Amino acid sequence: MEQDYQKKLYSQLLEQIQSKDHYDSNLKQFLKQLSVGIEQESLLNLISLQLDNKSVYFIRHAESKYNQWREQSSLNWSIFYKNTLENIDPELTEKGQQQTKNLQLSVLKEYENLTFDAVYVSPLSRAINTFGYLAYKENNEIIYQFKFAKVLACHYLRERLDTCGDIGKSLEVVKEGLCKKWNIDSCMINSDQWWCHKQFDNQKQGEMFKQKTEDFDKIQRRLIIILLMIIFSDDKYICLVSHSNIYKCLKLKNQFQSHDIKNAQMKILDKQAIMKFLTKTIPKHIYQK
């Protein structure tokens, strides 16, 4: 019974992530549907059992041009980041690229016998390129830790939408450019307008982009979905390449608290941390009346 439920749940979660319909109102409805057929306590018990056989790692992207801009002055707050085309989806800096190589050396040394089964990467260029420079040596040889992993771009791991720096490039650029460059499967990113949060009609350089800042409840909803899919998959060793606000949300901190993770840093998301997040958010977003 439990195995049948887990297979069905995994299939539903995967279908949702791969679909073209990702608006937050639909995520709310989808999460409510998951409560049908299993009690809250039973679901949490299943999750706990599955996590006994999982190892989940989190990597924050390396320094981007936005991070560099923030560090130039204590007055450079996100609200002052210019809402223009050239500031969309900032690239890694030279320092950021070097950070990925330092992380690569650290992974090779400290995690010599680790081999990931799956890697899920935010579709923003700073995250995709962090994975690429980390996973591949200068001769384009992939390091052992990622050699056998399936690598997928997943927009459920994108940054909290706050500035135009959190808006992604076009779907074509992400799929045909960034993902192909680093051999990343782009099957999970099928909707341009949703994950970019951008209106494309009559958009010209220098115009203000219409966007809505995300609150942490919205991030929680998409993280529940991707975490449950990971938990009920057959993969044992999983890596998430994402952003500081995603890590902050997973650690149940609010937007004003420190995220406690540096650029190009890898941390383990242990069972206790994941269970704490899901025990707090599942009643709120799935079983709430």
Side-chain angles (χ1 to χ4, degrees):
M1 174 65 178
E2 287 182 356
Q3 283 188 341
D4 290 342
Y5 173 77
Q6 291 177 40
K7 288 180 180 178
K8 180 182 177 182
L9 180 57
Y10 174 80
S11 178
Q12 288 177 319
L13 293 161
L14 181 61
E15 183 179 354
Q16 171 59 35
I17 293 175
Q18 290 180 328
S19 75
K20 292 186 177 182
D21 197 0
H22 302 286
Y23 291 96
D24 187 64
S25 58
N26 294 324
L27 292 192
K28 287 182 182 180
Q29 184 179 1
F30 174 76
L31 285 169
K32 293 296 182 187
Q33 292 171 350
L34 297 185
S35 66
V36 177
I38 189 166
E39 298 289 334
Q40 177 180 315
E41 184 178 353
S42 298
L43 177 58
L44 289 171
N45 286 339
L46 278 178
I47 291 168
S48 180
L49 288 172
Q50 287 291 109
L51 284 172
D52 287 334
N53 298 311
K54 302 281 178 180
S55 294
V56 183
Y57 296 77
F58 188 101
I59 296 173
R60 182 190 175 195
H61 66 80
E63 183 190 73
S64 70
K65 291 182 179 179
Y66 172 77
N67 299 136
Q68 184 183 60
W69 173 80
R70 283 292 303 268
E71 291 176 3
Q72 288 173 354
S73 171
S74 59
L75 299 178
N76 283 354
W77 303 342
S78 62
I79 57 173
F80 300 124
Y81 192 62
K82 290 184 179 179
N83 197 0
T84 55
L85 187 63
E86 58 268 22
N87 280 343
I88 277 186
D89 197 11
E91 302 287 344
L92 296 182
T93 62
E94 289 185 11
K95 178 182 175 181
Q97 292 186 33
Q98 184 58 51
Q99 287 174 338
T100 65
K101 292 309 174 187
N102 294 340
L103 179 58
Q104 184 186 88
L105 292 174
S106 176
V107 169
L108 287 169
K109 181 179 179 180
E110 298 176 28
Y111 299 94
E112 183 179 358
N113 298 315
L114 173 65
T115 54
F116 288 111
D117 299 307
V119 181
Y120 295 90
V121 186
S122 159
L124 294 173
S125 61
R126 55 192 181 272
I128 289 181
N129 284 325
T130 293
F131 165 77
Y133 290 121
L134 164 63
Y136 288 88
K137 296 181 180 179
E138 291 183 0
N139 62 0
N140 291 326
E141 178 187 355
I142 192 167
I143 64 175
Y144 174 75
Q145 287 77 0
F146 296 101
K147 190 172 184 179
F148 306 104
K150 58 185 179 184
V151 185
L152 301 104
C154 181
H155 44 22
Y156 280 41
L157 291 173
R158 63 178 175 77
E159 178 59 293
R160 168 180 175 260
L161 190 69
D162 184 35
T163 73
C164 67
D166 305 318
I167 296 172
K169 291 183 172 65
S170 71
L171 193 64
E172 181 181 5
V173 170
V174 176
K175 282 179 172 276
E176 300 301 319
L178 291 166
C179 288
K180 277 194 175 180
K181 178 181 179 180
W182 300 117
N183 299 312
I184 297 173
D185 190 334
S186 59
C187 67
M188 286 187 172
I189 47 172
N190 295 313
S191 177
D192 218 347
Q193 192 170 2
W194 176 80
W195 75 270
C196 289
H197 278 257
K198 170 182 169 184
Q199 291 191 6
F200 294 96
D201 295 339
N202 301 317
Q203 197 64 252
K204 297 177 181 178
Q205 185 168 349
E207 286 187 353
M208 299 294 283
F209 291 93
K210 296 178 181 179
Q211 60 193 44
K212 295 180 180 179
T213 299
E214 287 183 294
D215 59 33
F216 271 44
D217 278 354
K218 291 182 179 180
I219 301 176
Q220 285 178 1
R221 285 190 275 272
R222 50 185 167 98
L223 286 180
I224 290 171
I225 293 171
I226 184 65
L227 281 177
L228 288 180
M229 194 200 75
I230 288 168
I231 289 166
F232 290 110
S233 72
D234 293 329
D235 302 315
K236 183 175 180 180
Y237 296 97
I238 300 119
C239 180
L240 310 178
V241 185
S242 189
H243 306 267
S244 59
N245 273 311
I246 301 303
Y247 185 79
K248 189 188 293 188
C249 188
L250 285 167
K251 300 294 282 188
L252 293 172
K253 296 183 178 184
N254 64 47
Q255 66 186 85
F256 303 107
Q257 292 175 296
S258 171
H259 47 67
D260 193 31
I261 187 168
K262 298 176 182 177
N263 288 121
Q265 183 176 15
M266 182 164 82
K267 290 196 173 188
I268 296 173
L269 282 174
D270 59 22
K271 176 180 177 178
Q272 182 180 5
I274 296 173
M275 283 302 303
K276 185 177 180 180
F277 173 79
L278 292 175
T279 301
K280 172 88 173 178
T281 58
I282 281 178
K284 179 179 179 181
H285 297 290
I286 295 181
Y287 290 95
Q288 187 180 41
K289 299 296 185 183

